[in-house]
Amino acid sequence: MSLADSQTAPGLPARGRPRSEAVERAIVEGVMKLLEEGVPLAELSIERIARTAGVGKATIYRRWSGKDELFVDVVRAAEPPDADLPGTSMRDDLVALLEQLRRRGLVSRSSAILHNVYAQMKSSPKIWCAYHTTVVEPRRRLQMEVLRRGQLNGELRTDVDIELLTDLLVGPMLVRSVMRPDADLPEGLAERIVDTVLEGLRPLPRHVGSPRDPADTPGAAGTAGPAGTAKGATPVTRP
């Protein structure tokens, strides 16, 4: 699948003024065309993009502050759209967020162009910072909000470190998508990850953790008998 074929995201975000969707699409497709032709990211000037898209440079600058901001929107358009959270439970919302990440991994694998784009983007600190600020951080904040709601609703223990739990949930999917490109990304993987992580983090029933009867502690041989001796235990004979 080419980068152009993979761009199925809805319209790009507005920036405070009416915008022509057709013009924006022409600009985004112009960037994609140049990338597919093998033009390195460093050589994607606004002038060259404008010429390819058939628009003036001012038209681009009215919509994006510069190449970095434009490029982030191009990558977002090529990725699967952000998840629509069902809102039925913390677990279901987390599954939806991880499913979007799984689909992103599949798109990246199937598009050599997009895979190359990610590599080039990470080699450019300025563009990577813009992508991280615009795309990665909002997704992370959303997941943390879902977990906090889970704590308030009693679906998650209140003593759990939310930031650490966010990493524990996202980590396995990123390992398979990025560090293990040969690993499977099957349907149902998001559910398996969420359910496995949450299994040990649900609030304990009220009776669990309450003070235990001394007779129930390990080593107790029975209930206390006469002179403090447990039933069934041999009395100690003192001289």
Side-chain angles (χ1 to χ4, degrees):
M1 179 190 302
S2 69
L3 182 57
D5 290 337
S6 66
Q7 55 116 358
T8 57
L12 300 174
R15 288 186 175 78
R17 60 170 294 169
R19 304 167 67 181
S20 168
E21 183 177 346
V23 171
E24 286 183 4
R25 185 58 54 196
I27 295 169
V28 169
E29 290 178 352
V31 176
M32 291 179 174
K33 181 176 185 295
L34 291 170
L35 291 171
E36 289 175 339
E37 291 175 354
V39 179
L41 178 59
E43 298 180 14
L44 283 178
S45 66
I46 291 295
E47 182 177 2
R48 188 168 188 177
I49 294 170
R51 187 168 58 249
T52 303
V55 300
K57 290 194 298 182
T59 301
I60 296 178
Y61 281 119
R62 279 198 297 269
R63 291 159 172 79
W64 292 277
S65 62
K67 183 178 72 173
D68 298 340
E69 189 180 37
L70 167 58
F71 190 73
V72 168
D73 272 355
V74 170
V75 175
R76 290 182 67 186
E79 293 179 341
D82 286 343
D84 290 325
L85 303 187
T88 50
S89 67
M90 176 190 70
R91 183 259 185 193
D92 292 345
D93 286 351
L94 291 174
V95 168
L97 290 170
L98 284 193
E99 176 61 15
Q100 191 275 344
L101 193 58
R102 184 185 76 89
R103 292 179 180 275
R104 177 181 177 272
L106 289 173
V107 170
S108 178
R109 287 182 180 184
S110 62
S111 170
I113 294 295
L114 187 55
H115 183 77
N116 183 42
V117 165
Y118 284 132
Q120 290 192 65
M121 184 168 60
K122 291 178 181 179
S123 68
S124 172
K126 189 175 180 182
I127 293 180
W128 175 246
C129 181
Y131 179 79
H132 194 273
T133 300
T134 307
V135 180
V136 177
E137 274 304 314
R139 289 173 179 168
R140 182 177 177 83
R141 286 196 300 269
L142 179 58
Q143 182 169 325
M144 293 173 68
E145 289 173 9
V146 169
L147 292 172
R148 288 194 183 96
R149 287 200 302 270
Q151 287 183 324
L152 293 174
N153 296 337
E155 299 174 87
L156 181 67
R157 281 174 20 207
T158 57
D159 63 334
V160 174
D161 184 327
I162 293 299
E163 288 209 27
L164 178 59
L165 181 52
T166 297
D167 293 339
L168 289 174
L169 287 163
V170 173
M173 195 70 79
L174 288 180
V175 166
R176 289 201 176 202
S177 300
V178 180
M179 300 180 66
R180 295 181 57 202
D182 59 328
D184 289 337
L185 289 171
E187 291 187 15
L189 179 59
E191 288 89 342
R192 287 168 53 199
I193 292 174
V194 171
D195 290 341
T196 299
V197 173
L198 293 184
E199 182 62 30
L201 297 175
R202 303 187 188 284
L204 298 173
R206 290 184 179 181
H207 67 277
V208 177
S210 58
R212 300 165 66 181
D213 190 305
D216 294 333
T217 57
T223 58
T229 303
K231 285 184 178 180
T234 302
V236 177
T237 305
R238 298 182 181 278

